[in-house]
Amino acid sequence: LLFDGHSDPTRIQLVEIIEGKAVAIAPVEDLIADRMGQYISTQARVPEMLDQAIKMFQLADRLDEDYLDKRIRDETSGELGLEYMKGRIG
């Protein structure tokens, strides 16, 4: 199970890298949420993880913001949501 079973397995995408060969890619929303969970994982917080989450958010082509907010809340035990991350973009 990906991300402690909180990820929606139907969102995993197969991306063909060479003819007949593909890799499974986790949804970017899950990757962002994972970084947010790592960001709050210590008392001192890990700013690099927040920076990575923001960069992925900014580079993503299409995001399901409702799913992303849910996943951030899952990974941060309800402490943070999407609005927290959006508030740090600037």
Side-chain angles (χ1 to χ4, degrees):
L1 293 173
L2 293 173
F3 305 101
D4 297 329
H6 294 283
S7 181
D8 179 353
T10 65
R11 292 176 180 267
I12 296 170
Q13 295 181 345
L14 289 178
V15 176
E16 189 171 325
I17 53 172
I18 36 178
E19 193 172 313
K21 304 284 184 188
V23 294
I25 304 294
V28 70
E29 292 92 345
D30 288 331
L31 299 173
I32 292 168
D34 178 69
R35 294 315 183 282
M36 293 298 289
Q38 291 179 35
Y39 167 62
I40 69 157
S41 66
T42 65
Q43 204 71 20
R45 305 252 166 141
V46 183
E48 295 83 9
M49 295 297 106
L50 177 60
D51 293 343
Q52 287 182 22
I54 289 170
K55 284 295 181 200
M56 284 189 279
F57 180 82
Q58 292 172 324
L59 292 171
D61 186 26
R62 291 177 304 251
L63 288 171
D64 180 336
E65 289 195 3
D66 291 335
Y67 179 70
L68 177 56
D69 184 59
K70 176 193 173 307
R71 290 295 295 116
I72 291 172
R73 292 180 189 287
D74 289 344
E75 292 294 328
T76 64
S77 299
E79 187 176 332
L80 304 177
L82 178 56
E83 288 306 313
Y84 177 88
M85 186 181 67
K86 282 183 170 183
R88 300 309 180 273
I89 296 173

